[in-house]
Amino acid sequence: MVSEENQKLISKLIFSTIVPRPIAWITTVSKEGAVNLAPFSFFNAVTTKPPLLFVSVGKRKDGSLKDTSRNIVETGEFVVNVVSEEFLEKMHLSGKDFPPEVSEPEELGISLESSEKVKPPRVKGVPASLECVLREHLNLGSTPMDVFIGEVVSITYSPEILNSQRGIVGRLGGKRYCIVKNEVDLSNL
Ligand SMILES: Cc1cc2nc3c(=O)[nH]c(=O)nc-3n(C[C@H](O)[C@H](O)[C@H](O)COP(=O)(O)O)c2cc1C
């Protein structure tokens, strides 16, 4: 049995050593049609064929599902928006606890546009948006966390992202972030 104090240190070490973490800025819609937007850094690619990714969402303090989880469970769809420097502060603020009836994009003045293949809209102006359909829902850990495996069914992107990821934001320990400023290209080694 791990003591509470040790568990706190383990969590802190996971947040501070598995870095930088990519950020999935996720749009979902509720059954009633309200748009939700929140960031998640327990996120990564799983496979490319088919293109699968995962995101791991914790529970609220009272044990209830976060809005993102509830919407993914209810609708089976979500959109991962890639965060660039100009969206950093708004992305961070969208991680605060908003009541389900409040739309984060409206509250924070974030423009949305329709996606190609799924209902949740994408954030306008981000470098890329990956539209996903839920393939697996796992419950892992003691809380437990809701781990969603999504299949990417459509990608909207600005072509520059294929050659450079400059300006993309990642999550560090605490409330710190990094921004890609210094790319090292070893393709001719
Ligand atoms: C950069 C960043 C990364 C985050 N990563 C996660 C994560 O991986 N898993 C998680 O459960 N919460 C994460 N959070 C917290 C959620 O964004 C936060 O709980 C949010 O209020 C959930 O919103 P929702 O209830 O609208 O889904 C993160 C917050 C920030 C700012």
Side-chain angles (χ1 to χ4, degrees):
M1 184 69 181
V2 180
S3 70
E4 204 178 306
E5 202 178 318
N6 261 345
Q7 183 54 54
K8 268 197 184 145
L9 178 61
I10 291 169
S11 303
K12 239 181 163 175
L13 283 167
I14 295 291
F15 285 125
S16 305
T17 56
I18 302 182
V19 288
R21 292 185 299 284
I23 297 171
W25 200 18
I26 296 188
T27 29
T28 52
V29 284
S30 69
K31 267 194 315 209
E32 296 76 26
V35 177
N36 193 84
L37 177 64
F40 298 91
S41 68
F42 278 42
F43 156 70
N44 221 310
V46 179
T47 60
T48 57
K49 201 177 162 189
L52 296 178
L53 53 78
F54 83 89
V55 57
S56 184
V57 183
K59 297 284 193 303
R60 290 226 180 84
K61 283 200 181 94
D62 66 2
S64 64
L65 292 184
K66 292 188 183 180
D67 295 337
T68 299
S69 293
R70 201 203 48 239
N71 292 347
I72 295 177
V73 168
E74 286 179 0
T75 67
E77 294 182 339
F78 60 102
V79 176
V80 171
N81 298 279
V82 173
V83 181
S84 53
E85 190 170 3
E86 64 266 42
F87 289 96
L88 174 54
E89 282 186 15
K90 287 192 173 178
M91 176 278 294
H92 178 72
L93 292 172
S94 72
K96 309 250 177 229
D97 228 349
F98 290 87
E101 65 278 8
V102 171
S103 163
E104 290 92 354
E106 248 175 60
E107 201 70 13
L108 297 167
I110 293 163
S111 306
L112 303 170
E113 60 190 8
S114 296
S115 290
E116 305 303 313
K117 295 205 173 152
V118 299
K119 251 206 192 131
R122 58 186 186 233
V123 174
K124 202 173 170 181
V126 293
S129 297
L130 297 93
E131 298 176 27
C132 300
V133 170
L134 180 64
R135 290 290 177 239
E136 300 239 16
H137 177 190
L138 310 169
N139 284 279
L140 297 178
S142 61
T143 329
M145 304 274 284
D146 292 282
V147 180
F148 299 106
I149 311 262
E151 179 170 347
V152 182
V153 294
S154 183
I155 306 180
T156 303
Y157 60 98
S158 47
E160 305 89 72
I161 203 168
L162 291 170
N163 300 318
S164 167
Q165 292 76 47
R166 216 181 157 77
I168 303 290
V169 169
R171 182 81 193 236
L172 301 173
K175 291 196 173 154
R176 292 184 299 281
Y177 295 90
C178 60
I179 302 162
V180 177
K181 298 270 184 191
N182 185 21
E183 291 183 323
V184 181
D185 186 345
L186 299 182
S187 57
N188 53 10
L189 262 198

